[in-house]
Amino acid sequence: MSIPRHILFLSIACFAPLVALGCGHKGTQREPDEFAGCSTDESWVTFDDQEVGKHVTIDDALAASFRPPIAAGAMHPATPKPTFSWKLTATLDGKPNGTAACDMKCPLCGSHEAAVTGDLFDLQFSTGGAVTHRVLTTLQNWTPSDAVWASWKGKSLSLATVRMVVKLGEVSEGPYQATKPIAFSVGR
């Protein structure tokens, strides 16, 4: 059985834009430099859709809360580099390896990763008002690479973090962001 050309053409013309939307996402924000834990490029789409759309709730009580040695106004020595670690919120600890479940297999996802359930974090490090490093993670800790840390020596940085809870890749809570980013500097 052959499909008439006009039906085939209409099918391709209607289906192609849908495929393009789901593949090769070019976010409206700076592309993440790193994906850690269970986060994927699908996490990037979820964050960008929420953050750019201004759906973020500014609330210190619900935002991720960083643990020492990362603190506002701190000068961090050039060596050793720190591990950034945080709690889910000011009152909820969470788990160092995160709360996300990602060991699922998705037979219908094709080349896409399985949907994540749990807490996701978007860490955006800025210098001079421009994001210079972006990390999407499901973990509650992150250590910069030697190269990234070296690039920050002698600079003042700002860390804005957004936390959201997803269920099978869809936002179920948040996203939440603190009222102010954490400003810190790195020694030479």
Side-chain angles (χ1 to χ4, degrees), residues 32-36 39 133-137 142-145 148:
D33 298 281
E34 295 181 47
F35 294 95
S39 67
H133 199 78
R134 185 175 182 196
V135 180
L136 296 186
T137 184
W142 175 77
T143 303
S145 69
V148 168

Side-chain angles (χ1 to χ4, degrees), residues 50-118:
Q50 297 301 309
E51 292 177 64
V52 173
K54 306 296 183 206
H55 296 113
V56 177
T57 300
I58 306 298
D59 189 332
D60 289 329
L62 296 172
S65 176
F66 280 80
R67 301 171 193 253
I70 305 308
M75 166 66 88
H76 297 284
T79 57
K81 64 185 177 187
T83 292
F84 293 75
S85 64
W86 55 92
K87 298 179 356 177
L88 291 177
T89 69
T91 58
L92 295 174
D93 282 337
K95 302 174 184 173
N97 288 332
T99 63
C102 59
D103 57 350
M104 304 172 287
K105 298 296 178 205
C106 179
L108 302 176
C109 294
S111 64
H112 293 281
E113 299 291 330
V116 174
T117 294

